[in-house]
């Protein structure tokens, strides 16, 4: 990665070199002839100039108003490109203790795809991701801004590696102390073996410490109970289907052992009532609640019989050790009958169809991919772009989709005053697109340049990031093959 770092930094410093008599312009450059997309209003401001000073948007105006702020050598013609805030992927997992270099090599790839911020939802690499977060913030490592949960809370003997396992309130307090010491950005809780009563106590305890709390929805709790306890966001829109049934009745049947967890899950599908679900969405929308749908993973698995992904271009960036992890989910589906395959597709379509209802209710949809080594064919960076395309196919408008991948993430973390719109005083995390994303969200696939914390990466620099990732994949595969 060292060679890539030098190439990009030298390229960006061309815009920061001082000129005699211009001492105060050393860290400034002017982007002009830009079409600024206002993700709040859905409007476009043509022929604008953006003055960037270090990592901050300093001023916005016309070229005539700002051209004297920096020498000509520090002015970049945007050539009519569309400028949007950097994208946020609000659900990723950088995971695998044996995949440290593999994950590190992918950090610049997020930038190459226009993703300047990610929310890491915990893994067995918790401490490593925290270190990467801090290195990126100090400018020592190229990659997206990282918000991370470090390690997640779970019950004893869960299937997840190296989570923080608890079985009583004393252990809960100890693990929250550990997360305090880690200085995590939020708390993630899942329900593989964590009983509902202790899960709910975990939500309350983390909330009382001032954390945003996200995670799954246990079968022995209701969504309303979690929201009242301080649950900030629901991860995966599949859980939202529960609002289309009598969730309390099903919960009590599970607790009374008159209904199995598997049968309860089936009931939420079979008894789904759209009007009832819409009422539930409305309750959450009135609270300004956050939901991260993560639809791409369900689609990849549901349609695996139609696309085995062996020709996917992104595989050239992923090591064999990384993609070997995909086998476990494929293996679980190997014996599916035609009926089960169709049920999987129908379930995915039902979940995806709920997005417009949630959007209209006022729920804050936050775009996230759930990209992870353990999530089959859900590729880091690329899957967020696919997720946005699914949003459009499901009925969301491009401006709504842009908000889900920009300002809604900033709202979640309470940093909208600092980032995620193209305004003076905001962090200079920007993407220059060749096409207007308000016409079609697929425009985010056609990137001209990316600005991350004020550092300008042109198309050549972005392509070099991708080439370096491909070379690192080849080198790691070769090294590991030789070690056998």
């Amino acid at each position: 990665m060292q060679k890539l770092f030098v190439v990009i930094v030298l390229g960006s410093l061309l815009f920061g070199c001082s000129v005699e008599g211009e001492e105060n312009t050393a860290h400034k450059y002017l982007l002009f002839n830009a079409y600024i997309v206002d993700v709040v209003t859905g409007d476009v401001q043509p022929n604008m100039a953006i003055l960037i000073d270090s990592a901050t948007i300093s001023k916005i105006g016309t070229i005539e108003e700002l051209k004297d702020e920096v020498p000509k050598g520090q002015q970049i013609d945007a050539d009519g490109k569309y400028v949007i805030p950097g994208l946020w992927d609000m659900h990723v997992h950088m995971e695998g203790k044996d995949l440290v270099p593999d994950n590190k090599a992918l950090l610049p790839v997020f930038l190459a795809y226009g993703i300047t911020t990610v929310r890491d939802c915990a893994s067995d690499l918790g401490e490593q991701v925290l270190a990467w977060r801090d290195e990126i913030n100090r400018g020592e490592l190229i990659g997206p801004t990282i918000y991370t949960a470090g390690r997640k809370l779970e019950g004893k003997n869960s299937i997840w590696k190296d989570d923080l396992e608890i079985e009583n309130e004393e252990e809960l307090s100890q693990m929250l102390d550990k997360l305090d010491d880690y200085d995590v950005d939020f708390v993630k809780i899942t329900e593989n073996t964590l009983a509902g009563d202790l899960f709910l106590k975990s939500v309350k305890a983390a909330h009382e410490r001032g954390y945003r709390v996200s995670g799954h929805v246990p079968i022995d709790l209701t969504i309303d109970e979690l929201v009242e306890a301080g649950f900030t966001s629901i991860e995966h829109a599949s859980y939202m289907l529960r609002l289309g049934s009598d969730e309390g009745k099903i919960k009590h049947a599970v607790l009374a052992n008159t209904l199995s967890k598997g049968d309860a899950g089936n009931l939420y599908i079979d008894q789904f009532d759209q009007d009832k679900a819409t009422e539930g969405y409305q309750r959450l929308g009135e609270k300004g609640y956050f939901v991260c749908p993560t639809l791409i993973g369900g689609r990849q698995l549901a349609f695996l019989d139609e696309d085995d992904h062996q020709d996917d271009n992104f595989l050239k960036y992923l090591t064999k050790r990384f993609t070997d992890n995909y086998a476990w989910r494929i293996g679980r589906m190997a014996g599916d009958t035609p009926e089960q395959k169709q049920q999987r597709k129908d379930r995915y379509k039902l979940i995806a169809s709920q997005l417009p209802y949630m959007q209209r209710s006022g729920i804050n949809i936050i775009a996230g991919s759930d990209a992870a080594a353990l999530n089959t064919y859900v590729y880091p960076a690329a899957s967020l772009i696919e997720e946005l395309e699914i949003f459009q196919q499901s009925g969301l408008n491009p401006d709504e989709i842009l908000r889900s991948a920009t300002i809604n993430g900033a709202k979640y973390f309470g940093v909208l005053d600092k980032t995620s719109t193209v305004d003076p005083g905001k962090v200079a995390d920007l993407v220059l697109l060749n096409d207007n994303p308000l016409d079609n969200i697929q425009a985010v696939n056609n990137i001209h340049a990316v600005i991350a914390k004020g550092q300008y990466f042109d198309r050549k620099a972005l392509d070099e990031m991708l080439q370096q990732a491909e070379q690192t994949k080849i080198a790691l595969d070769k090294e590991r093959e030789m070690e056998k």
Side-chain angles (χ1 to χ4, degrees), residues 12 15-16 25-31 50-54 70-71 73-76 428 430 450-457:
S12 66
F15 305 108
T25 68
H27 301 289
K28 294 181 180 180
Y29 62 93
L30 185 66
L31 190 68
I50 305 170
L51 181 65
I52 294 173
D53 187 349
S54 298
V70 296
Q74 291 164 232
Q75 298 179 12
I76 306 171
L430 307 170
V450 172
I451 300 172
K453 290 186 173 68
Q455 191 169 343
Y456 187 91
F457 301 99

Side-chain angles (χ1 to χ4, degrees), residues 191-431:
E191 82 306 6
N192 179 240
T193 59
L194 187 58
D197 58 346
L198 188 54
F199 191 108
L200 197 62
K201 290 175 181 177
S202 300
V203 173
K204 291 178 179 178
H207 178 68
E208 287 170 359
R209 294 195 186 204
Y211 285 111
R212 292 165 178 84
V213 190
S214 77
H216 298 177
V217 181
I219 202 74
D220 50 355
L221 290 175
T222 67
I223 288 175
D224 287 330
E225 285 176 316
L226 287 171
V227 173
E228 290 303 313
F231 214 46
T232 313
S233 63
I234 291 173
E235 306 303 313
H236 318 303
S238 55
Y239 291 114
M240 298 294 284
L241 296 183
R242 298 189 186 186
L243 293 173
S245 301
D246 188 334
E247 197 178 9
K249 182 178 179 181
I250 292 175
K251 165 202 160 179
H252 289 303
V254 170
L255 289 174
N257 293 319
T258 60
L259 185 68
S260 71
K261 291 183 178 180
D263 287 340
N266 291 333
L267 275 181
Y268 282 125
I269 301 293
D270 297 338
Q271 297 183 353
F272 180 79
D273 180 271
Q274 187 64 69
D275 290 339
K276 188 173 183 60
T278 302
E279 290 176 7
Y281 303 157
Q282 191 67 39
R283 290 198 305 273
L284 297 184
E286 290 171 357
K287 298 176 183 293
Y289 203 69
F290 293 88
V291 173
C292 190
T294 66
L295 299 175
I296 178 65
R299 189 192 71 177
Q300 302 300 66
L301 294 177
F303 293 89
L304 198 58
D305 60 333
E306 300 179 23
D307 182 359
D308 64 8
H309 297 280
Q310 296 310 298
D311 296 325
D312 286 357
N313 184 62
F314 200 89
L315 291 171
K316 66 185 178 182
Y317 306 124
L318 301 178
T319 62
K320 182 179 183 300
R321 182 179 291 179
F322 192 104
T323 57
D324 280 349
N325 288 278
Y326 292 166
W328 79 288
R329 291 189 189 272
I330 296 174
R332 288 195 312 179
M333 297 166 51
D336 281 2
T337 65
E339 292 76 14
Q340 288 171 322
K341 291 178 181 179
Q342 187 60 49
Q343 287 171 357
R344 198 182 296 273
K345 292 175 182 176
D346 292 343
R347 181 174 184 270
Y348 162 76
K349 292 176 182 177
L350 175 61
I351 297 168
S353 72
Q354 298 307 296
L355 260 65
Y357 294 100
M358 287 189 273
Q359 178 68 39
R360 289 194 292 270
S361 76
I363 286 174
N364 289 298
I365 295 174
I366 44 178
S369 64
D370 206 6
L374 290 176
N375 287 336
T376 305
Y377 304 122
V378 182
Y379 304 130
S383 56
L384 187 276
I385 306 306
E386 292 182 86
E387 183 80 3
L388 301 186
E389 292 173 353
I390 291 174
F391 284 8
Q392 184 165 269
Q393 294 162 7
S394 298
L396 297 193
N397 297 325
D399 61 326
E400 295 169 338
I401 300 169
L402 281 177
R403 285 192 283 274
S404 78
T406 55
I407 61 175
N408 287 0
K411 286 169 63 177
Y412 178 94
F413 281 111
V415 294
L416 188 54
D417 60 327
K418 299 179 178 65
T419 186
S420 291
T421 61
V422 188
D423 288 306
K426 299 292 185 78
V427 175
D429 283 345
L430 307 170
V431 182

Side-chain angles (χ1 to χ4, degrees), residues 170-182:
E170 181 180 358
E171 291 180 350
L172 166 61
S173 182
Q174 292 170 354
M175 292 309 178
L176 288 176
D177 287 344
K178 183 185 286 287
L179 293 177
D180 286 344
D181 292 340
Y182 282 161

Side-chain angles (χ1 to χ4, degrees), residues 137-209:
N137 287 340
R138 293 194 299 264
E140 300 168 1
L141 183 66
I142 290 179
T145 297
I146 296 174
Y147 291 90
T148 181
R151 296 185 186 273
K152 64 184 173 184
L153 295 180
E154 252 291 1
K156 294 292 184 180
N157 303 313
S158 88
I159 63 171
W160 308 115
K161 293 180 180 178
D162 293 327
D163 45 21
L164 303 180
E165 299 184 354
I166 60 174
E167 61 181 356
N168 53 55
E169 290 182 72
E170 181 180 358
E171 291 180 350
L172 166 61
S173 182
Q174 292 170 354
M175 292 309 178
L176 288 176
D177 287 344
K178 183 185 286 287
L179 293 177
D180 286 344
D181 292 340
Y182 282 161
D183 191 24
V184 298
D185 300 298
F186 68 106
V187 170
K188 172 79 178 294
I189 312 176
T190 56
E191 82 306 6
N192 179 240
T193 59
L194 187 58
D197 58 346
L198 188 54
F199 191 108
L200 197 62
K201 290 175 181 177
S202 300
V203 173
K204 291 178 179 178
H207 178 68
E208 287 170 359
R209 294 195 186 204

